[in-house]
Amino acid sequence: MITNTRGPKMFMQLRKTDDKSVLEKALSHFDGFHVGASLLSSLGVFVQDVGKPFFIDPMTYRFILPPEHIIDREKGTVPRWMRYLAKTYSPILEHSLGKKTLTANDLNATRGGIQELTCNTLEYERTRFDTSEPALINKYFDKYDAFEEIGDSIAHNIQGTRPSFVIPPFFLVEEVGDPWYRLNLICSRIAAEQKKPEELLYGVLFLRKEILLNSECVDIVRDYADRRLAGIALWVNGLSEESANTEILSNLIRLIDGFRSIGKVVLKLNGSYLSILMNHNGLSGFSCSLSYRSDRDVNVSKWIIPGPPKAKFYIPGLHQAYSLDETEHVLRMFPFLKCSCRVCRDSYGNDLDIFQLEMKKVGYCQNHFLNARKAELDGFAQRGISGAIEDINEVLYCLKKKNAKGARHLTKWLNLMKAVQSVGTGIELPAKVNELESASIRHG
Ligand SMILES: [Zn+2]
């Protein structure tokens, strides 16, 4: 279970096979895995062998995309993992896969259909890594301290077979109260009925970011107040924590705080440094990938992005990643932003002439990022929000001394944290918390 005592927990997403070689050297730098149902089986074996906590994203939202977003443009076929999952989850998904865009009505046509989808999804998550052969020897056990160790890491178990919590099937919500919103609530209610006594169940909110421009946070919190939900997994589609406007981010914080006020653990899917700061407002944890980005968008398919991703360097003082060109330029202008983690020390050191050459090497930027992120997490755990604000103020002061513009995201975060600290979030909930049954009645 995620606790809130030492700063937020960070769950790493595995996207490609290269991620394994980076993460296996930094096992003490993160708390667990966010496993997408599309994960390659070789990476699944890695997650299982490592034995850290994990949860499974069933990726049901992918099945309601238009066929042109589902069919691989190069191969002209539906990816094998989707065919397998459709067969596992529901005949409704299987019959429409790659042929038509599913509506909420299609899924909700019969109570039996949505019940079957929910039960099969939970069972898939429970058994994804379940094995009859217990791993008595954990080959990663002695690797936990091999990287640059700073502070403690979460205890790992020797048999990483069961998820820390299960989540119901979920779909992208366009508006609060829309058919997908209601369907997500129905899936949550069915999952709560099907939950095993020893199991933790999280509800999922997968929201279009514009929803956060409206003041409907209280309604959402009430709808997901069911006591059988131990927590909430929150994903705001395409939301960049760096570039989103202040109103959206303020309402995101209100939403998180609202859930905290009724005792729910909140985990944000796809977070960046702001997610660490939001631990102050009740965010218990977040997941992120080695792309360092928080703006994952379900409507952007991987084959639409042209060319291989270019190496990016996460500048710790700015809490954001930049291209190697930009980074070199910034570090030459502002030497106080140089990183002194082990990867940086042992590669380019103080010689910026070889910075790009060194950091282009496979895994270097990512290993540096994990060191920088661990320092951010430990710093927050030790000094809290006031320490983080102090550090951002210091960076902004040093930038200002040189009349430098930019780093607007830092100013925004700073103002956001100060505003939220002084005003409070203003969410008031009735003393008696409604269960999902009453919420679904209200929404018809
Ligand atoms: Zn570094």
Side-chain angles (χ1 to χ4, degrees):
M1 180 161 178
I2 301 167
T3 55
N4 214 353
T5 49
R6 287 188 295 115
K9 300 290 170 241
M10 183 168 81
F11 290 78
M12 292 306 300
Q13 300 165 12
L14 288 158
R15 296 288 187 82
K16 46 192 196 317
T17 38
D18 292 352
D19 292 352
K20 181 188 155 192
S21 51
V22 173
L23 290 172
E24 70 181 356
K25 284 184 268 175
L27 293 175
S28 63
H29 285 38
F30 59 99
D31 299 289
F33 292 105
H34 165 173
V35 176
S38 64
L39 190 74
L40 298 166
S41 56
S42 59
L43 289 173
V45 170
F46 170 63
V47 171
Q48 205 174 330
D49 283 353
V50 163
K52 273 185 175 282
F54 69 89
F55 65 93
I56 308 254
D57 168 3
M59 296 178 73
T60 38
Y61 46 84
R62 289 292 293 271
F63 293 90
I64 62 163
L65 294 176
E68 62 267 27
H69 282 261
I70 288 177
I71 295 168
D72 189 313
R73 284 188 187 177
E74 285 163 18
K75 296 177 185 162
T77 54
V78 173
R80 200 163 60 170
W81 69 268
M82 286 194 84
R83 290 203 302 272
Y84 171 76
L85 284 182
K87 202 175 162 65
T88 306
Y89 290 160
S90 153
I92 305 172
L93 301 189
E94 199 181 6
H95 292 146
S96 67
L97 190 64
K99 295 179 194 142
K100 63 169 277 197
T101 308
L102 270 182
T103 65
N105 281 341
D106 293 332
L107 279 169
N108 208 15
T110 61
R111 162 91 185 184
I114 207 69
Q115 174 99 14
E116 185 180 24
L117 170 68
T118 307
C119 293
N120 287 344
T121 303
L122 295 184
E123 195 55 22
Y124 170 78
E125 293 172 39
R126 287 176 191 128
T127 55
R128 173 69 173 82
F129 295 135
D130 210 355
T131 168
S132 51
E133 289 180 34
L136 293 176
I137 298 167
N138 184 332
K139 65 176 177 173
Y140 291 103
F141 191 84
D142 59 354
K143 287 195 180 174
Y144 277 73
D145 298 323
F147 217 58
E148 185 164 13
E149 178 62 86
I150 321 164
D152 300 325
S153 65
I154 198 165
H156 58 284
N157 59 64
I158 210 156
Q159 295 171 38
T161 57
R162 289 277 171 158
S164 300
F165 54 87
V166 289
I167 55 184
F170 65 99
F171 306 93
L172 178 62
V173 170
E174 296 286 325
E175 298 294 338
V176 170
D178 77 5
W180 290 116
Y181 184 84
R182 295 203 299 271
L183 194 72
N184 285 350
L185 274 173
I186 292 169
C187 291
S188 287
R189 191 176 68 225
I190 296 171
E193 287 159 3
Q194 297 298 325
K195 181 180 99 58
K196 295 189 189 302
E198 73 282 5
E199 214 166 49
L200 292 178
L201 172 71
Y202 280 25
V204 189
L205 276 172
F206 183 19
L207 306 175
R208 188 171 69 104
K209 59 187 169 201
E210 287 75 15
I211 287 178
L212 293 173
L213 283 172
N214 307 319
S215 323
E216 286 157 336
C217 296
V218 180
D219 283 344
I220 300 173
V221 173
R222 282 202 191 106
D223 286 345
Y224 280 83
D226 191 320
R227 289 188 187 86
R228 295 169 297 181
L229 300 177
I232 300 293
L234 174 63
W235 174 7
V236 187
N237 192 45
L239 178 87
S240 157
E241 293 179 358
E242 290 82 13
S243 58
N245 75 37
T246 308
E247 194 180 351
I248 288 182
L249 294 177
S250 307
N251 281 331
L252 174 66
I253 290 174
R254 286 199 181 88
L255 188 59
I256 291 166
D257 190 72
F259 280 116
R260 171 170 65 175
S261 70
I262 59 165
K264 297 271 186 258
V265 166
V266 187
L267 179 74
K268 184 171 180 286
L269 307 185
N270 309 302
S272 69
Y273 185 65
L274 181 64
S275 288
I276 296 179
L277 299 183
M278 289 192 295
N279 179 246
H280 177 71
N281 310 97
L283 187 65
S284 304
F286 63 100
S287 71
C288 67
S289 74
L290 290 171
S291 74
Y292 337 128
R293 291 172 56 167
S294 56
D295 60 347
R296 185 170 165 221
D297 187 332
V298 71
N299 295 312
V300 179
S301 304
K302 66 174 183 193
W303 43 84
I304 293 174
I305 303 164
K310 286 198 172 137
K312 283 196 154 195
F313 187 88
Y314 188 83
I315 301 182
L318 301 182
H319 307 288
Q320 195 175 9
Y322 298 82
S323 72
L324 294 183
D325 268 343
E326 282 175 300
T327 304
E328 189 186 328
H329 180 69
V330 169
L331 296 185
R332 284 188 190 282
M333 266 185 89
F334 306 105
F336 76 93
L337 287 172
K338 274 186 197 160
C339 178
S340 57
C341 83
R342 183 180 290 179
V343 174
C344 292
R345 283 199 314 268
D346 292 351
S347 54
Y348 62 94
N350 279 321
D351 187 358
L352 285 176
D353 289 343
I354 57 166
F355 168 77
Q356 294 204 41
L357 201 67
E358 287 292 309
M359 296 316 284
K360 266 181 196 154
K361 290 180 182 168
V362 177
Y364 275 44
C365 276
Q366 289 91 338
N367 279 329
H368 147 80
F369 165 70
L370 286 170
N371 278 340
R373 177 49 55 83
K374 182 75 162 74
E376 288 174 338
L377 286 164
D378 288 345
F380 190 86
Q382 286 155 16
R383 297 167 60 225
I385 191 70
S386 51
I389 288 177
E390 215 173 278
D391 290 348
I392 293 176
N393 265 327
E394 174 74 18
V395 168
L396 289 173
Y397 174 76
C398 294
L399 292 174
K400 210 174 166 188
K401 269 202 304 197
K402 287 205 172 190
N403 281 327
K405 288 182 182 162
R408 271 183 301 217
H409 62 288
L410 291 184
T411 312
K412 180 169 61 188
W413 292 347
L414 199 63
N415 292 335
L416 197 63
M417 286 297 135
K418 283 179 186 164
V420 172
Q421 271 193 317
S422 59
V423 177
T425 55
I427 284 206
E428 283 178 32
L429 284 165
K432 189 177 179 305
V433 168
N434 298 325
E435 299 251 330
L436 288 178
E437 277 81 0
S438 55
S440 59
I441 290 166
R442 191 153 53 78
H443 287 291

